[in-house]
Amino acid sequence: MRRPPVARRPSPVAPPAARPGRALAPFARVREQLRTELEQGRFAPGARMPSEAELVARFGVARMTVHRALRELQAAGLVERIQGVGTFAATGPKLASTLTIRDLHDEIVGRGHRHHAIVHLQRAEAAPRAVAARLALAEGAIAFHSLIVHHDNELPLQCEDRWVNPARAPGYLGVDFTRTTPTHYLLEVAPAWEANYTVEAATASAREARLLGLERSAPCLIVTRRTVSRGMPVTLARLVHPGTRYLLQGQFRP
Amino acid sequence: MRRPPVARRPSPVAPPAARPGRALAPFARVREQLRTELEQGRFAPGARMPSEAELVARFGVARMTVHRALRELQAAGLVERIQGVGTFAATGPKLASTLTIRDLHDEIVGRGHRHHAIVHLQRAEAAPRAVAARLALAEGAIAFHSLIVHHDNELPLQCEDRWVNPARAPGYLGVDFTRTTPTHYLLEVAPAWEANYTVEAATASAREARLLGLERSAPCLIVTRRTVSRGMPVTLARLVHPGTRYLLQGQFRP
DNA sequence: TGCATAGCATTGTCTAGACAAGTAGCATCG
DNA sequence: CGATGCTACTTGTCTAGACAATGCTATGCA
């Protein structure tokens, strides 16, 4: 049942209508207008911007609408806001940026190539001291260990040496990793709620070089990843990529 | 109207949600409660979550308050929302993560070390074809070229080979880069509104290896960065780091 | 049976008003 | 002169209602 229409302030233009070529919602219109002005240097870094009240008058919308636009610009790092003081164009450099690390399987399939994995190792093993410490296990405790080489159209692209906390993924040894990737499986049984990465350039170990079909001295891009779920470490992975065949890409837009 | 504070650098903004000893705002309370339940696996990935109306009844707040909480969870990638259908726990793919690339100067100083740069080249030059294309210059056009080695406590840590679009940074050749970094200068004259990165492992060129004091075959972490401001390319940088002395670190929390 | 349509649940957004909280300037008081 | 409180301004948030847009489902009709 439709509610009976009630007197509503008439809008000069159809506001919230928006198909592909539709007009932006008012809050988005305000946001984009301010973003454009910021990009064009209309406000020097650190300079005071119009107050919410002024923007309300300028755009003819409610204060909550302006507030949302400004809140999103703040979340994007384009402005800084201080309660009781005002809104300011963000000073300072976006000196920090981000880089996306995608799952290898998705990346290969996304390129339209075929992903193919060879499992060289998948067993329970006593964890070396360094591994045990990072997985919060007792020294010498049993953990799951796998060593898998991933291929992009038959070309080896990643050597994945992984240790898994057995308490968090008891079925790990029974999974067929030629059909799914450890990453996918682990994300299913223990969603990653925290992850640490490091990226470095180095040479692979002798075994890794052999598995990847590389010279021992070939530069490799090595990603080390540790994930934590519900406060407990889940897995520790060392991902070795041939430097000539793999690179990380990132993009940044405020 | 109130006198605006003169070029005031807003001090560390205290997020209103993170004040110790103060009750969370209702929208934050709802958000955190749902985040906790998601982390504890209360909703399987892809499962339907309570509707806004149900949450309104459960928490005793207005719908806009619940809506904001859900919108922030959506922005964080924890839930997916479909107009007309409902809200769902995000399905697995935390498969993409982010890695922070910090400015080298900040990183060195942040470690409490001393940053020291040696300028090997800083002049106008005809841009090679590949560079000209990526800077949107005519082939053979003049561009600014600099080659600087950055040291962390006298240890060479980065070789920065940079091309700059002269139209966007006319004063580039006059800057003393032993006192400031090109990154800082360029962000001042042309705030980066878009950036692309690639990260790869490779060997340095002969000259780069010499400048960094490396063997020709030493693996290096090479970052290539291109920034665009107001739709026009500003700069193209190739940053070569010794693989043994430098690594990128990243952290991820939803 | 097949299809158009009405109804409903759900999310998306806007509004107007209200109060809270934080800051800065000014006037007053001791 | 300093401390104090007042006031104006700003951002932060909540509320209740309304309407828009979307997708699913059931119903009625041909």
Side-chain angles (χ1 to χ4, degrees):
Chain A
M1 173 201 316
R2 298 241 165 218
R3 294 182 192 85
V6 172
R8 185 174 187 252
R9 208 189 72 169
S11 325
V13 211
R19 287 287 165 292
R22 221 164 0 176
L24 286 176
F27 83 90
R29 191 170 58 90
V30 174
R31 186 206 334 125
E32 292 311 309
Q33 176 60 37
L34 292 175
R35 185 202 298 275
T36 300
E37 294 183 11
L38 282 162
E39 178 169 0
Q40 293 178 346
R42 170 114 164 58
F43 306 103
R48 185 193 201 98
M49 296 188 56
S51 71
E52 295 187 358
E54 288 168 326
L55 293 171
V56 163
R58 171 174 162 197
F59 288 98
V61 297
R63 196 188 138 220
M64 280 293 287
T65 304
V66 164
H67 184 77
R68 175 167 174 191
L70 289 171
R71 185 147 40 78
E72 296 197 355
L73 290 174
Q74 181 183 31
L78 269 61
V79 305
E80 298 185 28
R81 317 195 70 200
I82 306 174
Q83 184 173 0
V85 182
T87 303
F88 305 85
T91 68
K94 306 275 168 307
L95 292 178
S97 189
T98 61
L99 208 129
T100 301
I101 298 183
R102 298 184 54 193
D103 179 67
L104 188 69
H105 174 80
D106 294 353
E107 200 162 327
I108 291 173
V109 173
R111 276 201 289 259
H113 293 183
R114 203 166 61 78
H115 172 232
H116 170 227
I118 296 181
V119 181
H120 291 273
L121 193 73
Q122 183 177 10
R123 66 180 184 199
E125 222 177 291
R129 169 186 284 207
V131 171
R134 297 203 67 194
L135 286 181
L137 296 174
E139 198 175 331
I142 298 296
F144 299 155
H145 186 197
S146 63
L147 182 64
I148 301 171
V149 179
H150 298 274
H151 296 73
D152 176 348
N153 280 355
E154 313 307 329
L155 202 63
L157 195 59
Q158 180 187 88
C159 179
E160 171 188 3
D161 187 342
R162 184 182 290 273
W163 289 86
V164 175
N165 186 333
R168 298 298 275 116
Y172 188 76
L173 295 185
V175 182
D176 178 3
F177 288 128
T178 62
R179 307 184 59 87
T180 182
T181 65
T183 300
H184 271 106
Y185 173 74
L186 290 171
L187 281 172
E188 256 178 50
V189 301
W193 280 81
E194 201 180 327
N196 294 79
Y197 299 82
T198 63
V199 178
E200 60 184 320
T203 53
S205 71
R207 177 165 68 167
E208 287 162 349
R210 178 168 46 80
L211 293 175
L212 291 170
L214 296 175
E215 298 285 328
R216 184 71 176 79
S217 65
C220 292
L221 194 68
I222 302 179
V223 178
T224 308
R225 188 192 322 188
R226 175 172 173 265
T227 66
V228 176
S229 180
R230 299 193 215 172
M232 196 191 289
V234 176
T235 181
L236 194 61
R238 170 181 159 96
L239 313 171
V240 182
H241 314 80
T244 54
R245 297 187 216 134
Y246 186 82
L247 82 174
L248 295 167
Q249 292 190 48
Q251 195 164 345
F252 166 68
R253 292 176 65 98
Chain B
M1 174 156 172
R2 164 166 291 236
R3 183 174 60 84
V6 198
R8 182 178 188 274
R9 173 67 168 84
S11 45
V13 171
R19 247 123 72 208
R22 212 187 221 88
L24 286 178
F27 84 90
R29 191 170 59 91
V30 174
R31 190 215 319 132
E32 291 312 310
Q33 177 60 38
L34 291 175
R35 185 201 298 274
T36 299
E37 293 182 11
L38 283 162
E39 178 169 358
Q40 291 178 347
R42 170 115 164 54
F43 306 103
R48 183 190 204 98
M49 297 187 56
S51 71
E52 294 187 356
E54 288 169 324
L55 293 171
V56 163
R58 171 173 162 197
F59 288 99
V61 296
R63 193 187 142 223
M64 280 293 287
T65 304
V66 164
H67 184 78
R68 176 168 175 189
L70 288 171
R71 185 148 40 77
E72 297 198 353
L73 290 174
Q74 182 183 30
L78 269 61
V79 305
E80 296 182 22
R81 317 196 70 200
I82 306 176
Q83 184 172 359
V85 182
T87 303
F88 304 87
T91 71
K94 294 288 168 299
L95 294 181
S97 189
T98 60
L99 209 126
T100 301
I101 298 183
R102 297 184 55 192
D103 179 69
L104 188 70
H105 174 81
D106 293 353
E107 200 162 326
I108 292 173
V109 172
R111 277 201 289 258
H113 293 183
R114 202 166 63 79
H115 173 232
H116 169 228
I118 296 180
V119 181
H120 290 273
L121 192 73
Q122 183 177 10
R123 67 181 183 198
E125 222 177 291
R129 168 186 285 205
V131 171
R134 298 204 66 194
L135 286 181
L137 296 174
E139 197 176 329
I142 297 295
F144 298 155
H145 186 197
S146 63
L147 183 63
I148 301 172
V149 179
H150 298 275
H151 297 74
D152 176 348
N153 281 355
E154 312 308 328
L155 201 62
L157 195 59
Q158 181 188 86
C159 179
E160 172 188 2
D161 188 340
R162 184 182 291 272
W163 289 86
V164 175
N165 186 333
R168 298 299 274 114
Y172 188 76
L173 295 185
V175 182
D176 178 2
F177 287 128
T178 62
R179 307 184 58 86
T180 184
T181 66
T183 299
H184 271 106
Y185 173 73
L186 290 171
L187 281 171
E188 255 178 50
V189 302
W193 281 79
E194 202 180 326
N196 294 78
Y197 300 81
T198 63
V199 178
E200 61 184 320
T203 53
S205 72
R207 177 164 70 166
E208 287 161 349
R210 179 168 46 79
L211 292 175
L212 291 171
L214 297 175
E215 297 285 327
R216 184 71 176 77
S217 65
C220 292
L221 194 69
I222 302 180
V223 178
T224 308
R225 187 190 326 187
R226 176 172 174 265
T227 66
V228 176
S229 180
R230 299 191 216 176
M232 195 190 290
V234 176
T235 182
L236 194 60
R238 171 182 158 94
L239 312 172
V240 181
H241 313 81
T244 55
R245 305 203 274 265
Y246 186 81
L247 83 173
L248 295 168
Q249 294 191 47
Q251 195 164 341
F252 165 68
R253 293 177 65 96

